[in-house]
Amino acid sequence: MNYDDRQHLVYARARALTPERLTEWLRVFARHAPERRPLAVLDLGSGTGRFTPELAAEFGGPVWGVEPSDHMRAGAEQHAPHPAVTYLAGSATAIPLPDASCDLVLVFLVLHHVRDHATAAAEIARVLRPGGRVLIRSLFPDRMPELPWYSYFPGARDIDEQVFPRMDPLLETFAAAGLRFVTVDRVQERIADSLADYEVRLKLRGSSTFERLTELEIVEGFDALEAAVRAERRPRPVEEESDLLVLARA
């Protein structure tokens, strides 16, 4: 997925986190991070920097945001600066950091864009210090949650099941690189205060899955969602479940 084509124009707004969601994710990250402080953190696939400066504030830094998209990285440098943060060009298979330079690596909705998981696992293990942790937020088709938008865009689930990595092969790949399984944390988060708010966010088409849907599927999906919004008499929060895979280096 080339985020320099269109996604960088909408990503920051479409994937923006409320202060409450950001605080909750930081709590989850801290729960699984090494206890010592400060921590040197790699935000791998940092995008527009929605987590990067907050990781520095939470863990003390330094924090490196590594992102292959020039436009996404430029947006982060402009809108998410922090004195302890450095944004770098790079990718999961070519991390521009020295060996054993990081205590914590965050890989948030990134691995489905990485073709060579074995090389990525080796690179992550290379930059991670002994006792360090890897936090991987992803969908896993073998434990796929029922995301709210699948009700309106059923083709999106089919795409996600094909695109996202399965848990068992992924664990084998990372284990071969020296990264052992710790746990999978199932996180419940509120992603919109109402179905109408959810519709507004989805219409920005910030998920890369939209790039793989046909225009007919997109039109029909939004028609169905708009009908559901009109039928909603009492606004209710929209929530979804997320998986965070935790790995450790011995």
Side-chain angles (χ1 to χ4, degrees), residues 137-219:
R137 159 73 173 96
S138 183
L139 295 176
F140 300 103
D142 31 4
R143 44 181 291 133
M144 186 75 80
E146 190 58 45
L147 300 183
W149 77 310
Y150 291 161
S151 299
Y152 312 102
F153 302 87
R157 183 186 182 107
D158 296 336
I159 290 168
D160 286 349
E161 288 181 341
Q162 295 172 26
V163 169
F164 280 87
R166 292 189 173 273
M167 178 76 72
D168 287 345
L170 192 69
L171 290 176
E172 291 177 5
T173 299
F174 276 87
L179 298 168
R180 64 174 177 84
F181 172 79
V182 176
T183 190
V184 179
D185 197 349
R186 180 56 66 93
V187 180
Q188 185 85 18
E189 61 177 326
R190 177 183 294 195
I191 55 175
D193 290 332
S194 67
L195 201 56
D197 290 341
Y198 186 56
E199 178 193 10
V200 170
R201 181 178 293 250
L202 274 185
K203 282 190 171 179
L204 293 171
R205 293 167 61 166
S207 170
S208 60
T209 301
F210 274 113
E211 305 299 324
R212 298 179 172 92
L213 290 169
T214 67
E215 283 302 314
L216 178 59
E217 288 177 303
I218 292 171
V219 169

Coordinates of all heavy atoms in Angstrom, one line a residue, residues 137-219:
R137 N 0.0 -4.6 17.4 CA -1.5 -4.5 17.3 C -1.8 -4.9 15.9 O -1.3 -4.3 14.9 CB -1.8 -3.0 17.6 CG -3.2 -2.6 17.0 CD -4.4 -3.1 17.7 NE -5.6 -2.5 17.2 CZ -6.4 -3.1 16.3 NH1 -6.1 -4.3 15.8 NH2 -7.5 -2.5 15.9
S138 N -2.7 -5.9 15.8 CA -3.1 -6.4 14.4 C -4.4 -7.0 14.5 O -4.9 -7.3 15.6 CB -2.0 -7.3 13.9 OG -2.3 -7.8 12.6
L139 N -5.0 -7.3 13.4 CA -6.0 -8.3 13.3 C -5.4 -9.6 13.0 O -4.4 -9.7 12.3 CB -7.0 -7.9 12.2 CG -7.8 -6.7 12.3 CD1 -8.7 -6.4 11.1 CD2 -8.7 -6.7 13.6
F140 N -6.0 -10.7 13.5 CA -5.5 -12.1 13.2 C -6.7 -12.9 12.8 O -7.6 -13.1 13.5 CB -4.9 -12.7 14.5 CG -3.7 -11.9 15.0 CD1 -3.8 -11.1 16.1 CD2 -2.5 -11.9 14.4 CE1 -2.8 -10.3 16.6 CE2 -1.4 -11.2 14.9 CZ -1.5 -10.4 16.0
P141 N -6.7 -13.3 11.5 CA -7.8 -14.0 10.9 C -8.3 -15.2 11.7 O -9.5 -15.6 11.7 CB -7.4 -14.4 9.5 CG -6.3 -13.4 9.2 CD -5.6 -13.1 10.5
D142 N -7.4 -15.9 12.5 CA -7.7 -17.0 13.2 C -8.4 -16.6 14.5 O -8.9 -17.5 15.3 CB -6.6 -17.9 13.5 CG -5.2 -17.2 13.6 OD1 -5.2 -16.0 13.6 OD2 -4.2 -17.9 13.8
R143 N -8.5 -15.3 14.9 CA -9.3 -14.9 16.0 C -9.9 -13.5 15.7 O -9.8 -12.5 16.5 CB -8.4 -14.8 17.3 CG -7.0 -14.3 17.1 CD -6.2 -14.3 18.4 NE -6.8 -13.4 19.4 CZ -7.0 -13.7 20.7 NH1 -6.8 -14.9 21.1 NH2 -7.5 -12.8 21.5
M144 N -10.5 -13.4 14.5 CA -10.9 -12.1 14.0 C -12.1 -11.6 14.8 O -13.1 -12.3 14.9 CB -11.3 -12.3 12.5 CG -11.8 -11.0 11.8 SD -10.3 -10.0 11.4 CE -9.8 -10.8 9.9
P145 N -12.1 -10.4 15.3 CA -13.3 -9.8 15.9 C -14.3 -9.4 14.9 O -14.0 -9.2 13.7 CB -12.7 -8.6 16.7 CG -11.5 -8.2 15.8 CD -10.9 -9.5 15.2
E146 N -15.5 -9.2 15.3 CA -16.6 -8.7 14.5 C -16.6 -7.2 14.5 O -17.3 -6.6 15.3 CB -17.9 -9.3 14.9 CG -19.0 -9.1 13.9 CD -18.7 -9.7 12.5 OE1 -18.3 -10.8 12.5 OE2 -19.0 -8.9 11.5
L147 N -15.8 -6.6 13.6 CA -15.7 -5.1 13.6 C -17.0 -4.5 13.1 O -17.7 -5.1 12.3 CB -14.5 -4.7 12.7 CG -13.1 -5.2 13.1 CD1 -12.1 -4.6 12.2 CD2 -12.8 -4.8 14.6
P148 N -17.4 -3.4 13.7 CA -18.7 -2.8 13.3 C -18.9 -2.6 11.9 O -20.0 -2.8 11.3 CB -18.7 -1.5 14.1 CG -17.8 -1.7 15.3 CD -16.7 -2.6 14.8
W149 N -17.9 -2.2 11.1 CA -18.1 -1.8 9.7 C -18.3 -3.0 8.8 O -18.8 -2.9 7.7 CB -17.0 -0.9 9.2 CG -15.6 -1.5 8.9 CD1 -14.9 -2.3 9.7 CD2 -14.9 -1.3 7.7 NE1 -13.7 -2.6 9.0 CE2 -13.7 -2.0 7.8 CE3 -15.1 -0.5 6.6 CZ2 -12.7 -2.0 6.8 CZ3 -14.1 -0.5 5.6 CH2 -12.9 -1.2 5.7
Y150 N -18.0 -4.2 9.3 CA -18.2 -5.4 8.5 C -19.7 -5.6 8.3 O -20.1 -6.3 7.3 CB -17.6 -6.7 9.3 CG -16.1 -6.8 9.4 CD1 -15.5 -7.6 10.3 CD2 -15.3 -6.0 8.5 CE1 -14.2 -7.7 10.4 CE2 -13.9 -6.1 8.6 CZ -13.4 -6.9 9.6 OH -12.0 -7.0 9.7
S151 N -20.6 -5.1 9.1 CA -22.0 -5.2 8.9 C -22.5 -4.5 7.7 O -23.5 -4.9 7.1 CB -22.8 -4.7 10.2 OG -22.4 -5.4 11.3
Y152 N -21.7 -3.5 7.3 CA -22.1 -2.7 6.1 C -21.2 -2.9 4.9 O -21.7 -2.7 3.8 CB -22.1 -1.2 6.5 CG -22.7 -0.9 7.8 CD1 -22.0 -0.7 9.0 CD2 -24.1 -0.9 7.9 CE1 -22.7 -0.5 10.2 CE2 -24.8 -0.6 9.1 CZ -24.0 -0.5 10.3 OH -24.7 -0.3 11.5
F153 N -20.0 -3.4 5.2 CA -19.1 -3.7 4.1 C -18.6 -5.1 4.3 O -17.5 -5.3 4.7 CB -17.9 -2.7 4.2 CG -18.2 -1.2 4.1 CD1 -18.6 -0.5 5.2 CD2 -18.3 -0.6 2.8 CE1 -18.9 0.8 5.1 CE2 -18.6 0.8 2.7 CZ -18.9 1.5 3.9
P154 N -19.4 -6.1 4.0 CA -19.0 -7.5 4.2 C -17.8 -7.9 3.5 O -17.0 -8.7 3.9 CB -20.2 -8.3 3.8 CG -21.0 -7.4 2.9 CD -20.8 -6.0 3.4
G155 N -17.5 -7.3 2.3 CA -16.3 -7.6 1.6 C -15.1 -7.2 2.3 O -14.0 -7.7 2.1
A156 N -15.2 -6.2 3.3 CA -14.0 -5.8 4.0 C -13.5 -6.9 4.9 O -12.3 -7.1 5.1 CB -14.4 -4.6 4.9
R157 N -14.4 -7.7 5.5 CA -13.9 -8.8 6.3 C -13.2 -9.8 5.5 O -12.1 -10.4 5.9 CB -15.1 -9.5 7.0 CG -14.7 -10.6 8.0 CD -15.8 -11.4 8.6 NE -15.3 -12.4 9.5 CZ -15.3 -12.3 10.8 NH1 -15.9 -11.3 11.4 NH2 -14.8 -13.3 11.5
D158 N -13.7 -10.1 4.3 CA -13.0 -11.1 3.4 C -11.6 -10.6 3.1 O -10.7 -11.4 3.1 CB -13.8 -11.3 2.1 CG -15.2 -11.9 2.4 OD1 -15.4 -12.6 3.4 OD2 -16.1 -11.7 1.5
I159 N -11.5 -9.3 2.8 CA -10.2 -8.7 2.5 C -9.3 -8.8 3.7 O -8.1 -9.3 3.5 CB -10.4 -7.3 2.0 CG1 -11.0 -7.2 0.6 CG2 -9.0 -6.6 1.9 CD1 -11.5 -5.9 0.2
D160 N -9.7 -8.4 4.8 CA -8.9 -8.5 6.0 C -8.4 -9.9 6.4 O -7.3 -10.1 6.8 CB -9.7 -7.9 7.2 CG -9.8 -6.3 7.1 OD1 -9.1 -5.7 6.2 OD2 -10.5 -5.7 7.9
E161 N -9.3 -10.9 6.1 CA -8.9 -12.2 6.4 C -7.8 -12.7 5.5 O -7.0 -13.6 5.8 CB -10.1 -13.2 6.3 CG -11.1 -13.0 7.5 CD -12.3 -13.9 7.4 OE1 -12.6 -14.4 6.3 OE2 -12.9 -14.1 8.5
Q162 N -7.7 -12.1 4.3 CA -6.7 -12.5 3.4 C -5.4 -11.7 3.6 O -4.3 -12.2 3.4 CB -7.2 -12.2 1.9 CG -8.4 -13.1 1.5 CD -8.9 -12.7 0.2 OE1 -8.2 -12.1 -0.7 NE2 -10.2 -12.9 -0.1
V163 N -5.6 -10.5 4.0 CA -4.4 -9.6 4.1 C -3.7 -9.7 5.4 O -2.4 -9.6 5.5 CB -4.9 -8.1 3.9 CG1 -3.8 -7.1 4.2 CG2 -5.3 -7.9 2.4
F164 N -4.4 -9.8 6.5 CA -3.7 -9.8 7.8 C -3.1 -11.1 8.1 O -3.6 -12.2 7.7 CB -4.7 -9.4 8.9 CG -5.0 -7.9 9.0 CD1 -6.0 -7.3 8.2 CD2 -4.3 -7.1 9.9 CE1 -6.2 -6.0 8.3 CE2 -4.5 -5.8 10.0 CZ -5.5 -5.2 9.2
P165 N -2.0 -11.1 8.9 CA -1.3 -12.4 9.2 C -2.0 -13.3 10.2 O -2.6 -12.8 11.2 CB 0.1 -11.9 9.8 CG -0.3 -10.6 10.4 CD -1.3 -10.0 9.5
R166 N -1.9 -14.6 10.0 CA -2.4 -15.5 11.0 C -1.5 -15.6 12.2 O -0.3 -15.5 12.0 CB -2.7 -16.9 10.4 CG -3.8 -16.8 9.4 CD -4.3 -18.1 8.9 NE -5.5 -18.0 8.0 CZ -6.7 -17.9 8.5 NH1 -6.9 -18.1 9.8 NH2 -7.8 -17.7 7.7
M167 N -2.0 -15.9 13.3 CA -1.3 -15.9 14.6 C -0.2 -17.0 14.6 O 1.0 -16.7 14.9 CB -2.2 -16.1 15.8 CG -1.5 -16.2 17.1 SD -1.0 -14.6 17.7 CE -2.6 -13.8 18.1
D168 N -0.5 -18.2 14.4 CA 0.5 -19.3 14.5 C 1.7 -19.2 13.6 O 2.8 -19.3 14.1 CB -0.2 -20.7 14.4 CG -1.1 -21.0 15.5 OD1 -1.0 -20.4 16.6 OD2 -2.0 -21.9 15.4
P169 N 1.5 -19.0 12.3 CA 2.7 -18.8 11.5 C 3.5 -17.6 11.9 O 4.8 -17.6 11.9 CB 2.1 -18.6 10.1 CG 0.8 -19.2 10.1 CD 0.3 -19.0 11.5
L170 N 2.9 -16.5 12.4 CA 3.6 -15.3 12.8 C 4.4 -15.6 14.0 O 5.6 -15.2 14.1 CB 2.6 -14.2 13.1 CG 3.2 -12.8 13.3 CD1 3.8 -12.3 11.9 CD2 2.1 -11.8 13.8
L171 N 3.8 -16.4 15.0 CA 4.6 -16.7 16.2 C 5.8 -17.6 15.9 O 6.9 -17.4 16.5 CB 3.7 -17.4 17.2 CG 2.6 -16.6 17.9 CD1 1.7 -17.5 18.7 CD2 3.2 -15.4 18.7
E172 N 5.7 -18.5 14.9 CA 6.8 -19.3 14.5 C 7.9 -18.5 13.9 O 9.1 -18.7 14.2 CB 6.3 -20.4 13.5 CG 5.4 -21.4 14.1 CD 4.9 -22.4 13.1 OE1 5.3 -22.3 11.9 OE2 4.1 -23.3 13.4
T173 N 7.5 -17.5 13.1 CA 8.5 -16.6 12.4 C 9.2 -15.8 13.5 O 10.5 -15.7 13.4 CB 7.8 -15.7 11.4 OG1 7.2 -16.5 10.4 CG2 8.8 -14.8 10.8
F174 N 8.5 -15.2 14.4 CA 9.2 -14.4 15.4 C 10.0 -15.2 16.4 O 11.1 -14.8 16.9 CB 8.2 -13.5 16.1 CG 7.8 -12.3 15.4 CD1 6.9 -12.2 14.4 CD2 8.6 -11.1 15.7 CE1 6.6 -11.0 13.7 CE2 8.3 -9.9 15.0 CZ 7.3 -9.9 14.0
A175 N 9.5 -16.4 16.7 CA 10.3 -17.3 17.6 C 11.6 -17.7 16.9 O 12.7 -17.8 17.6 CB 9.5 -18.6 17.9
A176 N 11.6 -17.9 15.6 CA 12.9 -18.2 14.9 C 13.9 -17.1 15.0 O 15.1 -17.3 14.9 CB 12.6 -18.6 13.5
A177 N 13.4 -15.9 15.2 CA 14.2 -14.7 15.3 C 14.7 -14.4 16.7 O 15.4 -13.5 17.0 CB 13.5 -13.5 14.7
G178 N 14.2 -15.3 17.7 CA 14.5 -15.1 19.1 C 13.6 -14.3 19.9 O 13.9 -13.8 21.0
L179 N 12.3 -14.2 19.4 CA 11.3 -13.4 20.2 C 10.2 -14.4 20.6 O 9.5 -14.9 19.8 CB 10.8 -12.3 19.3 CG 11.8 -11.3 18.8 CD1 11.2 -10.4 17.8 CD2 12.3 -10.4 20.0
R180 N 10.0 -14.5 21.9 CA 9.1 -15.5 22.4 C 7.8 -14.9 22.7 O 7.6 -13.7 23.1 CB 9.7 -16.1 23.7 CG 9.9 -15.2 24.9 CD 10.3 -15.9 26.2 NE 10.5 -14.9 27.2 CZ 9.6 -14.4 28.0 NH1 8.3 -14.8 27.8 NH2 9.9 -13.6 29.0
F181 N 6.7 -15.7 22.7 CA 5.4 -15.3 23.0 C 5.2 -15.0 24.5 O 5.7 -15.8 25.3 CB 4.4 -16.4 22.5 CG 3.0 -16.2 23.0 CD1 2.2 -15.3 22.3 CD2 2.5 -16.8 24.1 CE1 0.8 -15.1 22.7 CE2 1.2 -16.7 24.5 CZ 0.3 -15.8 23.8
V182 N 4.5 -13.9 24.8 CA 4.2 -13.6 26.2 C 2.7 -13.7 26.4 O 2.2 -14.4 27.3 CB 4.7 -12.2 26.6 CG1 4.2 -11.8 28.0 CG2 6.2 -12.1 26.4
T183 N 1.9 -13.0 25.6 CA 0.5 -13.0 25.8 C -0.2 -12.3 24.6 O 0.5 -11.6 23.8 CB 0.0 -12.3 27.1 OG1 -1.3 -12.6 27.3 CG2 0.3 -10.8 27.0
V184 N -1.5 -12.5 24.5 CA -2.3 -11.6 23.6 C -3.4 -10.9 24.5 O -4.1 -11.6 25.2 CB -3.1 -12.5 22.6 CG1 -3.9 -11.6 21.7 CG2 -2.1 -13.2 21.7
D185 N -3.4 -9.6 24.4 CA -4.3 -8.8 25.2 C -5.4 -8.4 24.3 O -5.2 -7.7 23.3 CB -3.5 -7.6 25.8 CG -4.2 -6.9 26.9 OD1 -5.4 -7.3 27.2 OD2 -3.6 -6.1 27.6
R186 N -6.7 -8.7 24.7 CA -7.8 -8.3 24.0 C -8.3 -7.0 24.6 O -8.7 -6.9 25.7 CB -8.9 -9.3 24.0 CG -10.2 -9.0 23.3 CD -10.1 -8.7 21.8 NE -9.7 -9.8 21.0 CZ -10.4 -10.6 20.3 NH1 -11.8 -10.5 20.4 NH2 -9.9 -11.5 19.5
V187 N -8.3 -5.9 23.7 CA -8.6 -4.5 24.2 C -9.9 -4.1 23.6 O -10.2 -4.2 22.4 CB -7.5 -3.6 23.8 CG1 -7.8 -2.1 24.2 CG2 -6.1 -4.0 24.3
Q188 N -10.8 -3.6 24.5 CA -12.1 -3.1 24.1 C -12.0 -1.6 24.0 O -11.6 -0.9 25.0 CB -13.2 -3.5 25.1 CG -14.6 -3.1 24.7 CD -15.2 -4.1 23.7 OE1 -14.8 -5.2 23.6 NE2 -16.3 -3.7 23.0
E189 N -12.3 -1.0 22.9 CA -12.2 0.5 22.8 C -13.4 1.1 22.1 O -14.0 0.5 21.3 CB -10.9 0.9 22.1 CG -10.8 0.4 20.7 CD -9.6 1.0 20.0 OE1 -9.1 2.1 20.3 OE2 -9.0 0.2 19.1
R190 N -13.8 2.3 22.6 CA -14.8 3.1 22.0 C -14.2 3.9 20.8 O -13.3 4.7 21.0 CB -15.5 4.0 23.0 CG -16.6 4.9 22.4 CD -17.1 5.9 23.4 NE -17.8 5.3 24.5 CZ -18.6 5.9 25.3 NH1 -18.8 7.2 25.2 NH2 -19.3 5.3 26.3
I191 N -14.8 3.6 19.6 CA -14.2 4.3 18.5 C -15.0 5.5 18.0 O -14.6 6.2 17.1 CB -13.9 3.3 17.3 CG1 -15.2 2.5 17.0 CG2 -12.8 2.3 17.7 CD1 -15.0 1.6 15.8
A192 N -16.3 5.6 18.5 CA -17.1 6.7 18.1 C -18.2 6.8 19.1 O -18.6 5.8 19.8 CB -17.7 6.5 16.7
D193 N -18.7 8.0 19.3 CA -19.7 8.2 20.3 C -21.1 7.9 19.8 O -22.1 7.7 20.6 CB -19.7 9.7 20.8 CG -18.5 10.0 21.6 OD1 -18.0 9.1 22.3 OD2 -18.1 11.2 21.6
S194 N -21.3 7.8 18.5 CA -22.6 7.4 17.9 C -22.3 6.8 16.5 O -21.2 7.0 16.0 CB -23.5 8.6 17.8 OG -22.9 9.6 16.8
L195 N -23.3 6.2 16.0 CA -23.2 5.7 14.6 C -23.0 6.8 13.6 O -22.3 6.6 12.6 CB -24.5 4.9 14.3 CG -24.4 3.9 13.2 CD1 -23.3 2.8 13.5 CD2 -25.7 3.1 13.0
A196 N -23.6 8.0 13.9 CA -23.4 9.1 13.0 C -22.0 9.6 13.0 O -21.4 9.9 11.9 CB -24.4 10.3 13.4
D197 N -21.4 9.6 14.2 CA -19.9 10.0 14.2 C -19.1 8.9 13.5 O -18.1 9.3 12.8 CB -19.5 10.1 15.7 CG -20.1 11.3 16.4 OD1 -20.5 12.2 15.7 OD2 -20.1 11.3 17.6
Y198 N -19.5 7.7 13.7 CA -18.7 6.6 13.0 C -18.8 6.8 11.5 O -17.8 6.6 10.8 CB -19.3 5.3 13.5 CG -18.6 4.1 13.0 CD1 -17.3 3.8 13.3 CD2 -19.3 3.0 12.4 CE1 -16.7 2.7 12.9 CE2 -18.7 1.9 12.0 CZ -17.4 1.7 12.2 OH -16.7 0.5 11.9
E199 N -20.0 7.1 11.0 CA -20.2 7.3 9.6 C -19.2 8.4 9.0 O -18.6 8.3 8.0 CB -21.6 7.7 9.2 CG -21.9 7.9 7.8 CD -23.2 8.6 7.5 OE1 -23.9 9.0 8.5 OE2 -23.6 8.6 6.3
V200 N -19.2 9.5 9.8 CA -18.3 10.7 9.4 C -16.9 10.2 9.2 O -16.2 10.5 8.3 CB -18.5 11.8 10.3 CG1 -17.4 12.9 10.1 CG2 -19.9 12.4 10.3
R201 N -16.4 9.5 10.2 CA -15.0 9.0 10.2 C -14.8 8.0 9.1 O -13.8 8.1 8.3 CB -14.7 8.3 11.5 CG -13.3 7.8 11.7 CD -13.1 7.2 13.0 NE -13.1 8.2 14.1 CZ -12.0 8.6 14.7 NH1 -10.8 8.1 14.5 NH2 -12.1 9.6 15.7
L202 N -15.7 7.1 8.9 CA -15.5 6.1 7.8 C -15.5 6.7 6.4 O -14.8 6.2 5.5 CB -16.7 5.0 7.9 CG -16.5 3.8 8.8 CD1 -17.6 2.8 8.6 CD2 -15.1 3.1 8.6
K203 N -16.3 7.8 6.3 CA -16.3 8.4 4.9 C -15.0 9.1 4.5 O -14.8 9.4 3.3 CB -17.5 9.4 4.9 CG -18.8 8.7 4.7 CD -20.0 9.7 4.4 CE -21.2 9.0 4.0 NZ -22.4 9.9 3.8
L204 N -14.1 9.2 5.5 CA -12.8 9.7 5.1 C -12.0 8.6 4.5 O -10.9 8.8 3.9 CB -12.0 10.2 6.3 CG -12.6 11.5 7.0 CD1 -11.9 11.8 8.3 CD2 -12.4 12.7 6.0
R205 N -12.4 7.3 4.6 CA -11.8 6.2 4.0 C -10.3 6.0 4.4 O -9.4 5.8 3.5 CB -12.0 6.2 2.5 CG -13.4 6.1 2.1 CD -13.7 6.4 0.6 NE -13.0 5.6 -0.3 CZ -13.4 5.5 -1.6 NH1 -14.4 6.2 -2.1 NH2 -12.7 4.8 -2.5
G206 N -10.1 6.1 5.7 CA -8.7 6.1 6.2 C -8.2 4.7 6.3 O -6.9 4.6 6.4
S207 N -9.0 3.7 6.2 CA -8.5 2.3 6.3 C -8.0 1.9 4.9 O -8.7 2.1 3.9 CB -9.6 1.3 6.7 OG -9.2 0.0 6.5
S208 N -6.8 1.3 4.8 CA -6.3 0.8 3.5 C -7.2 -0.3 2.9 O -7.1 -0.5 1.7 CB -4.9 0.3 3.7 OG -4.8 -0.8 4.6
T209 N -8.0 -0.9 3.7 CA -9.0 -1.9 3.1 C -9.9 -1.3 2.1 O -10.3 -2.0 1.1 CB -9.8 -2.6 4.3 OG1 -8.9 -3.2 5.2 CG2 -10.7 -3.6 3.7
F210 N -10.2 0.0 2.2 CA -11.0 0.7 1.2 C -10.4 0.6 -0.1 O -11.1 0.6 -1.2 CB -11.3 2.1 1.6 CG -12.5 2.3 2.6 CD1 -12.3 2.7 3.9 CD2 -13.8 2.1 2.1 CE1 -13.4 2.9 4.7 CE2 -14.9 2.3 3.0 CZ -14.7 2.7 4.3
E211 N -9.1 0.6 -0.2 CA -8.4 0.6 -1.5 C -8.6 -0.7 -2.2 O -8.3 -0.8 -3.4 CB -6.9 0.9 -1.3 CG -6.6 2.2 -0.5 CD -7.1 3.4 -1.2 OE1 -7.0 3.5 -2.4 OE2 -7.5 4.4 -0.5
R212 N -9.0 -1.7 -1.5 CA -9.2 -3.0 -2.1 C -10.7 -3.4 -2.4 O -10.9 -4.4 -3.0 CB -8.5 -4.1 -1.2 CG -7.0 -3.9 -1.1 CD -6.4 -5.0 -0.2 NE -5.0 -5.0 -0.1 CZ -4.2 -4.3 0.7 NH1 -4.8 -3.6 1.7 NH2 -2.9 -4.3 0.7
L213 N -11.6 -2.5 -1.9 CA -13.0 -2.7 -2.2 C -13.3 -2.1 -3.5 O -12.7 -1.2 -4.0 CB -13.8 -2.1 -1.1 CG -13.9 -2.7 0.3 CD1 -14.5 -1.7 1.3 CD2 -14.6 -4.0 0.3
T214 N -14.3 -2.7 -4.2 CA -14.8 -2.1 -5.4 C -15.6 -0.8 -5.1 O -16.2 -0.7 -4.0 CB -15.7 -3.0 -6.2 OG1 -16.9 -3.3 -5.5 CG2 -14.9 -4.3 -6.5
E215 N -15.8 0.1 -6.0 CA -16.6 1.3 -5.8 C -18.0 0.9 -5.5 O -18.7 1.6 -4.8 CB -16.4 2.3 -7.0 CG -15.1 3.0 -7.0 CD -14.9 3.9 -5.8 OE1 -15.9 4.5 -5.3 OE2 -13.8 3.8 -5.2
L216 N -18.5 -0.1 -6.2 CA -19.9 -0.6 -5.9 C -20.0 -1.0 -4.5 O -21.0 -0.7 -3.8 CB -20.3 -1.7 -6.9 CG -21.7 -2.3 -6.7 CD1 -22.7 -1.2 -6.9 CD2 -21.9 -3.4 -7.7
E217 N -19.1 -1.8 -4.0 CA -19.1 -2.2 -2.6 C -19.1 -1.0 -1.6 O -19.8 -1.0 -0.6 CB -18.0 -3.1 -2.3 CG -18.1 -4.5 -2.9 CD -16.8 -5.4 -2.6 OE1 -15.7 -4.9 -2.9 OE2 -17.0 -6.5 -2.0
I218 N -18.3 0.0 -2.0 CA -18.2 1.2 -1.1 C -19.5 1.9 -1.1 O -20.1 2.4 -0.1 CB -17.1 2.0 -1.6 CG1 -15.7 1.3 -1.3 CG2 -17.1 3.4 -0.9 CD1 -14.5 2.0 -1.9
V219 N -20.1 2.1 -2.3 CA -21.4 2.9 -2.4 C -22.5 2.1 -1.7 O -23.2 2.7 -0.9 CB -21.8 3.1 -3.9 CG1 -23.2 3.6 -4.0 CG2 -20.8 4.1 -4.6

